Amino acid sequence: LKRIENNYGNNVIVELPNGKEGGMDNVDSEKGVERLFFGDFNAKVEYFVEPAFYAPTGFRICRDSLDQHYVLEVKKVANYEQVKDQVQTEFPSRNTSMNLPEKQREENVAYNRKIWSKQGEEKLKRYRIETKTVPVSDAFAELVHAKTFATIDTFRTKGKPFVMFDGGWTTFRCVVEGDVWMLAIQVPAGDMKKLSDRYRQMMADVEADRFDEGRYLRLLEDIR
């Protein structure tokens, strides 16, 4: 899914905490956990990974609250497994084995659709989002933005899509002047995969307190 939207949702002008004027950011394309991570505003760059069976993670690059410098915010769902176990116990699904009578199986399938939706709603209410923040330079912020924008701008599909079952999604997003650009894809490939792998490793290094900005400036420059 590739989308370009207005960065602002309307023409209302608001005063920001730093005293500058801004607008009401359009975050309508962000749903679920992504909304929990980034739903307060559109950052310069956002990267979000939602695997099929593992905890979502992501980061964004934005200005600090005093608008003095850029920060890299790495986000995760801290209680993912705990919440998953809770909702599966409280809202159990039903058996849909082919051994069941057809009518019973169809009833159970219909029931499961509703219960899985309920599970999803409850998870979002119970998730606890943790953020780890490190300061970054203007040069780093601009390079990550440039690589993210190029990835979205140059992406083209080739041929028919693959058949995917239970695949996760990777989302790249950035603000470009008055627009917000977004690309969501199930399986990054080629240079997009290289960039995605760098971003994942970058998040892991922040979590482990070993983030080295200079190293990533060099690694990102090597990606077209």
Side-chain angles (χ1 to χ4, degrees):
L1 175 64
K2 185 173 179 177
R3 176 182 290 147
I4 301 174
E5 300 178 284
N6 289 327
N7 186 34
Y8 295 117
N10 52 47
N11 63 354
V12 175
I13 297 175
V14 298
E15 183 176 343
L16 303 177
N18 60 14
K20 295 183 178 181
E21 289 186 345
M24 302 293 292
D25 284 12
N26 170 22
V27 294
D28 290 346
S29 66
E30 297 175 1
K31 309 295 183 183
V33 179
E34 191 178 14
R35 174 64 69 90
L36 297 180
F37 279 7
F38 307 130
D40 47 345
F41 63 91
N42 289 322
K44 185 179 185 71
V45 178
E46 296 173 359
Y47 173 75
F48 179 67
V49 182
E50 188 166 24
F53 304 107
Y54 302 97
T57 56
F59 75 78
R60 68 180 176 185
I61 293 179
C62 54
R63 302 294 288 181
D64 73 314
S65 59
L66 299 178
D67 195 23
Q68 294 182 338
H69 55 77
Y70 282 107
V71 293
L72 169 62
E73 295 181 350
V74 174
K75 296 177 177 287
K76 67 178 183 180
V77 180
N79 58 344
Y80 178 82
E81 292 294 335
Q82 177 187 353
V83 170
K84 182 179 72 171
D85 292 342
Q86 286 177 352
V87 299
Q88 288 178 348
T89 299
E90 296 176 25
F91 308 97
S93 58
R94 293 177 180 175
N95 180 21
T96 57
S97 169
M98 295 300 293
N99 296 327
L100 291 173
E102 182 177 357
K103 182 178 180 180
Q104 182 63 57
R105 186 173 66 253
E106 290 176 351
E107 290 177 354
N108 288 358
V109 167
Y111 173 84
N112 284 348
R113 290 195 186 100
K114 295 179 181 179
I115 209 67
W116 289 335
S117 177
K118 179 64 175 177
Q119 287 180 0
E121 293 173 2
E122 288 298 319
K123 286 178 181 179
L124 293 178
K125 294 177 184 177
R126 304 182 192 193
Y127 281 153
R128 178 167 51 85
I129 308 304
E130 286 189 354
T131 303
K132 195 161 188 176
T133 304
V134 295
V136 294
S137 67
D138 288 8
F140 180 83
E142 295 300 336
L143 179 59
V144 175
H145 182 272
K147 296 297 181 180
T148 302
F149 171 68
T151 291
I152 301 171
D153 186 38
T154 61
F155 177 78
R156 301 291 187 275
T157 56
K158 296 180 180 179
K160 297 179 180 179
F162 293 104
V163 177
M164 303 293 296
F165 296 99
D166 296 324
W169 286 87
T170 298
T171 301
F172 300 84
R173 183 183 285 105
C174 65
V175 172
V176 183
E177 297 181 352
D179 296 325
V180 55
W181 291 50
M182 184 273 286
L183 173 66
I185 188 168
Q186 284 190 281
V187 182
D191 286 332
M192 184 188 299
K193 181 180 185 303
K194 292 179 183 178
L195 184 64
S196 185
D197 288 346
R198 292 285 186 268
Y199 285 174
R200 289 174 186 245
Q201 185 60 52
M202 192 164 68
M203 291 191 293
D205 283 352
V206 170
E207 288 288 342
D209 295 320
R210 59 171 182 258
F211 174 71
D212 181 349
E213 179 182 301
R215 175 171 179 263
Y216 281 99
L217 282 170
R218 294 189 297 273
L219 290 173
L220 291 173
E221 283 286 8
D222 291 340
I223 299 175
R224 289 185 298 170

